[in-house]
Amino acid sequence: MRAITIPEPGEADALVPADVPAPTAGAGEVLVDVVAAGVNRADVMQRKGAYPPPPGASELPGLEVSGRISALGEGTEDAGWSVGDEVCALLAGGGYAETVAVPVGQLLPAPDGIPLEDAAALPEVACTVWSNLVMEAGLSEGETVLLHGGSSGIGTMAIQVAKALGAQVAVTAGSADKLAACRDLGADVLVNYRQQDFVEEVKAATDGRGADVILDVVGAKYLPDNIRALARDGRLVVIGLLGGRTGELDLGALLAKRGRVQATSLRSRPPEGKAEIVAAVREHVWPWVAQGRVRPLVQSRHPLEEAAAAHREMEASQHIGKILLTVVG
Ligand SMILES: NC(=O)c1ccc[n+]([C@@H]2O[C@H](COP(=O)([O-])OP(=O)(O)OC[C@H]3O[C@@H](n4cnc5c(N)ncnc54)[C@H](OP(=O)(O)O)[C@@H]3O)[C@@H](O)[C@H]2O)c1
């Protein structure tokens, strides 16, 4: 099969299309013929050699796909899936390819009303957002959530999920265009971090209380201000380190607020952990997708063979929402 390989870590040209052996469906897995694969920041880090696949995962990049089931592995016959079913899937790797083997618990039905190609934009962000905002931070109706990187793949999903939960949503982004897109998705408080102080803006929007939950992709650079922006009993969940990994934490300020700081990684969870999250997404987020309350936001599509161009676009950071790779079957 055709796939995108990374013979040596490096810049975007390190992504090399090649013929590689197609995977087979192991016990508990199904094979999916890929229609589209989502591009994620984690793939960029993997390409640079900074984010190796977890043990046992495919060496090929790609954390999510959409496509059609082409084979059922041992022990999956009674799991409710058939050859030909249109699906999307959360992966530990291997999505930049014509075929991928998927643990059966990581499959989701392709949502009705969404083109199959676009369904590839959903699994990674929906699972990351639901697991962190709800399963970890317990975001609930009436609370305020602050989302950094509001126009990112993660951010555009997080805005929609948080609004569907009934939360007030504050976002940060680096341009007026990005903030306008966040507003169109339902964000209530828009902060251009190049011109405004997000701590002041969030406090002003909450009568001085601060954010009950913060979902952060920046890390070290924002740690002191995130603690300042947190409400009493607030929960800060760090999922990205775009602004560095080592910061200073004022434990006194955290203690006074009875705050919580957590950092999580979806990819490193074992298949059972991913399956639990996928099941929760199917139960809670998929109905919102069916109702049109949550939708994938696709900025651009590149043929699989041009994965390098997709990575250059992601690294230029002008995109809003998701970038996809398409596979011509
Ligand atoms: N822990 C997990 O399980 C998990 C799972 C999925 C994703 N993530 C993380 O979530 C983050 C977003 O992922 P994504 O796939 O949605 O990425 P993405 O679409 O490329 O979004 C990243 C956004 O972050 C903003 N940003 C802030 N500081 C930045 C910096 N120093 N360099 C580059 N961009 C910066 C940019 O928007 P502005 O122009 O507004 O700054 C950019 O659009 C990544 O850090 C990724 O690793 C973590």
Side-chain angles (χ1 to χ4, degrees):
M1 68 171 184
R2 295 296 280 172
I4 301 300
T5 62
I6 309 174
E8 291 292 332
E11 296 307 311
D13 292 337
L15 297 174
V16 179
D19 290 320
V20 303
T24 51
E29 293 180 335
V30 307
L31 281 189
V32 173
D33 284 345
V34 176
V35 167
V39 176
N40 289 279
R41 278 276 162 177
D43 310 338
V44 173
M45 285 152 47
Q46 179 173 342
R47 191 203 74 215
K48 289 180 170 171
Y51 194 43
S58 167
E59 289 294 316
L60 302 173
L63 299 178
E64 59 188 344
V65 293
S66 61
R68 294 180 185 85
I69 294 179
S70 56
L72 300 175
E74 190 193 324
T76 65
E77 301 83 357
D78 299 326
W81 303 97
S82 305
V83 169
D85 281 355
E86 297 192 338
V87 295
C88 54
L90 178 71
L91 308 170
Y96 287 19
E98 287 180 320
T99 304
V100 64
V102 183
V104 72
Q106 291 168 218
L107 288 173
L108 287 153
D112 288 339
I114 304 276
L116 182 56
E117 197 172 279
D118 291 7
L122 290 169
E124 171 73 13
V125 290
C127 290
T128 301
V129 165
W130 187 264
S131 60
N132 287 294
L133 284 189
V134 179
M135 297 168 81
E136 301 294 350
L139 179 67
S140 57
E141 189 175 355
E143 290 194 313
T144 297
V145 62
L146 169 62
L147 306 168
H148 292 303
S151 67
S152 64
I154 293 289
T156 51
M157 172 57 63
I159 293 168
Q160 298 179 79
V161 166
K163 287 309 295 179
L165 286 166
Q168 172 176 237
V169 177
V171 295
T172 65
S175 75
D177 285 355
K178 288 183 171 186
L179 287 170
C182 296
R183 184 197 55 220
D184 291 348
L185 289 170
D188 305 288
V189 182
L190 309 172
V191 184
N192 184 332
Y193 67 80
R194 297 185 200 281
Q195 298 164 359
Q196 294 168 292
D197 176 343
F198 72 78
V199 181
E200 281 174 22
E201 298 301 322
V202 169
K203 292 219 160 163
T206 54
D207 295 327
R209 220 167 41 84
D212 302 292
V213 173
I214 302 177
L215 186 66
D216 178 42
V217 296
V218 176
K221 195 170 134 198
Y222 276 4
L223 184 56
D225 280 347
N226 276 336
I227 303 299
R228 286 174 55 219
L230 216 51
R232 284 195 196 284
D233 298 306
R235 293 85 75 195
L236 164 62
V237 187
V238 179
I239 62 163
L241 303 172
L242 293 166
R245 57 185 288 172
T246 309
E248 197 167 289
L249 176 61
D250 181 345
L251 285 167
L254 190 65
L255 180 150
K257 292 181 171 182
R258 297 184 300 273
R260 261 196 275 155
V261 179
Q262 190 176 3
T264 70
S265 160
L266 177 60
R267 190 183 194 184
S268 64
R269 289 184 194 258
E272 315 81 71
K274 290 194 179 85
E276 188 189 339
I277 291 168
V278 166
V281 163
R282 186 172 180 177
E283 182 183 349
H284 298 284
V285 181
W286 249 224
W288 290 332
V289 176
Q291 293 160 14
R293 296 173 74 188
V294 171
R295 61 187 170 87
L297 213 75
V298 179
Q299 166 81 42
S300 62
R301 299 150 211 277
H302 301 260
L304 178 68
E305 301 273 326
E306 293 167 26
H311 274 218
R312 282 190 206 99
E313 183 181 8
M314 175 159 274
E315 289 179 279
S317 261
Q318 297 306 308
H319 63 286
I320 292 169
K322 297 285 295 186
I323 299 169
L324 297 183
L325 299 176
T326 55
V327 176
V328 181

